[in-house]
Amino acid sequence: MDLDDDTSVLSTLKSFNSFISLPEHPQRPSDHSATGSGILHNQYKRSMELLEAAEKVQSKNRYLQLDQEKKRMEMSHKRARFELERAVSDNARDLEHEVDRNQDLVGRIKKLEGRETDAAKNLCEQVEASRALRKNLDGLNKKIDERDSRLNTANQTISSMKDEIRELKQQMQNKDSTISAQTLENQELQEQLDLQRRKYQEVSQLCQSLQAAESSCSEHVIKIKELERRLAFQEEDIAIVKTVKLEVARLPDLEKELKRLRDDNAFLRESRENCSLLKEEVEGLRRKLERMEKTKEELVNMELEKERLAEKLKAWENLGQSTGLNIRKPDDLSREVIQIQQREIALKEQNYSLNSRVRSVERSQAELRAELSQQRSRTMEEQKKREAQDALVRRLQKRILLLTKERDGMRAILESYDSELAPTEYSPQLSKRLREAEDILQKTQNHNAEMETQLTKAQEETGTLKLQLHTVEMELERLKKQQASVADSSSLTTKEEVGILRQKIEDLEAERQRLEEQNNILEMRLERHNLQGDYDPVKTRVLHLKMNPTSVAKQQRQQEVDALREEVTHLRELVRSLQDGGALVHSQDESSLHGSSLGLSLPPSKEVLDLRKQMESSELRNQRLKEVFQRKIQEFRTVCYVLTGYQIDITTENQYRLASVYAEHMDDSLLFKKGSSGSMQLMETEFSKTLGEMVALHLHHQKSIPAFLSAVTLDLFSRQTTL
Amino acid sequence: MTSTLKGITLKGSAELVAEFFSFGINSILYQRGIYPPETFTRITHYDMSLQLTTDPKLKNYLTNVVSQLKEWLFECTVQKLVLVITCLETSEVLERWQFDIECDKSAKESREKSIKTIQDEIRSVIRQITATITFLPLLETPCAFDLLVYTDKDLLVPDKWEESGPNIINQSEEVRLRSFTTSIHKVNSMVAYKRTDSV
């Protein structure tokens, strides 16, 4: 296929090249003949066609290439697919294998698990079995232990029993020894008894001789008493001589002392005089001191006064500046003062004169006022009279006017009537009218009179009222004058009050002084108390440290006292104990220390304690040594008994008793005595009597005690075994 | 304790007064023989030689008291300091050295007073204390001393301190001594002793 493709490609290339080469030939000649542009255009078209063909060819080539590639790819794909399929199949096979294996493994696992559970169960069972076994073991161990303990206890009991047996044997032996010792003692006592009897006989003989001697003794005793009396006198004389000698020996000392005392006396007298002188000096100095202190106080006071005076002086000096006067010296001041005083005196004189004038003026004023009042009253009365008279006058004038008017009227009437009379007869009418008119007139006159009377009454009333007013005014004025006069009189009363007040002031001042003195005394007392250390518990509190030196010292003192008391009691007990011990000692000894009181001197406690300690230690040591020695001796004795076959006891001094192991009777024993030369000798006993042959052989001939003893043992042993 | 500042503050005044008390008490103990003279060493202060104790317990006690006193002086709550000398055998008071303290509570800023003046005053007080020993009766029995502080009633009592009585001498003679002032605190001193004819 590729070759085909190649050949197709080659063929197309050949065709293309041939196609290209063809138009080139005709192009050359056509260039010369045809017109340029048409040819070019055709050429251009051909080139374009060629290009297109080339492109097509190229695309075809490409297409073919791609096809080839695609086929190749497909091939490769197929191959790959094949391979993959193979691989897949392989994998599938593997998978199956694996699955099979897996199943196998799973099966195995299950089996193994089953086995594991079985194994676990077995394990548990075995663990339980082991536990059970262990428990059994423990139980067995415990049993074993119990048995061991029992064994041990049994062993211990056995050993204890053995010890007891040994002890009992030893006790028995001891008892035997003690019995033998006691028998020996018995013998000894009997011997002593014999001795005593012999002695008694001798003593009786001696008694007789004694009685003879006693008589001689009594005679001697009398002589001795006489001699003793003489001795006593001589001793007294000796004592007297000794005292005299002592006194004589003391004489020079006394003389020396006398001299010294005389010197001291003289010196003391001188010093006494000096003392008195010094005391006088001291007193003088004290007085001086007091005086000095007083002068100091005075000085202080003086200084204070000086300061005050200086202040005053300054004030005085400043006065000039303060008052504004031309003052530089005290003379100026005194002059000023004198001037002022003079001015004052002048002013006072003026004052007095003015006062007297004033009083006179006042008096005249009063009189004038009184006159004035009287005049006023009079004027008022006259004014009223005048007014009344004026009023009367007015009334009269009015009356006159009225009357004149009436007259005129009446005249007019009359005239009219007179004029009218002629025609008619009206004289009665006229008379009536006349009468009526007169009546009316009278009435009016009466009325007028009444009115006038009323008027006058009213005027009188007003007049009286005015009078009253005036009188009241006068009274007021009088009262005012009285008040002024009363004010003068009240000045007198104030003077009395002033006097009373001054007395009160004096009393208060006296009280103040008294209170001041009391205050001073109280302040002194307070000062004193303050000096002594008193305080007000409401405001102050006194504190001190708990651990202060006084309390510490007191505690220490207390402790010392307690310690001393304990020591004293302890010492008293010691003394008492020693006294009792000493008393016991006295009673035992019956010595001549009865006369003396405690002849014992208390050794110091430290030594006693040390000695006691030493004693105790030494006693302990002794005890231990004794124990050790006893043990060792016992051991040795037992060993000797076991090895030699003889128990050797010491009965009395230098006497040894031997008892054989194989002795037939308990009493069979040999007695040996140690002689003065150091050699051992056999004593006669019942047992030794039976061994006469051996004694003769071994002791007398061979002169060997060990041989004898060994022969005895062999003999006894033979007897024992045969029996 | 000379400060370079000219003014005296409340704290400085408290320190000066506490220092004076410390030296004063030491010199009284030395002069009256309460403690053996070999337990004292000589030091120089206030331009004069003074005795100071070397006993550690006594030193400790004095520092405790003086430090507390300094606090109280700063708070202006202390009124008096008293040194009481008691006889150990009979437990009665033989001597009483009393120092009254007046505190100017209005002193907020420092006051102008030179340290030199204050020290001169203190020196004269201590000299006078030494001089008064000549007329005081001899203390023949073994004695112990105690320091009492008179404070305001409402003051909180610190622990290690407790209330006590005033320990006043009956039948006493009192002598007032000099005083000194730091312009904030004024200290008056006086001594009271038991009359010898009544002993």
Side-chain angles (χ1 to χ4, degrees), chain A residues 527-528 530-533 535 537-550 553 557, chain B residues 61 79-80 86 89 96 98 145-151 153 155 157 160 162-164 174 176 190:
Chain A
E527 176 75 19
R528 188 117 199 287
N530 198 21
L531 279 173
Q532 282 180 341
Y535 65 99
V538 175
K539 287 180 202 157
T540 50
R541 191 192 288 187
V542 183
L543 296 173
H544 70 159
L545 270 178
K546 285 178 194 164
M547 289 306 295
N548 61 64
T550 310
R557 219 186 160 74
Chain B
Y61 171 72
Q79 294 169 13
K80 286 193 225 275
T86 34
E89 286 172 358
R96 217 167 173 279
Q98 184 167 298
F145 83 101
D146 192 6
L147 288 169
L148 309 175
V149 183
Y150 286 50
T151 59
K153 183 87 178 173
L155 183 67
V157 178
K160 294 192 191 174
E162 62 177 4
E163 267 206 64
S164 101
E174 297 97 26
R176 209 172 241 284
M190 62 205 81

Side-chain angles (χ1 to χ4, degrees), chain B residues 10-27:
Chain B
L10 182 60
K11 191 151 193 253
S13 170
E15 280 180 0
L16 280 169
V17 173
E19 196 188 27
F20 158 70
F21 279 135
S22 162
F23 286 113
I25 290 165
N26 267 295
S27 55

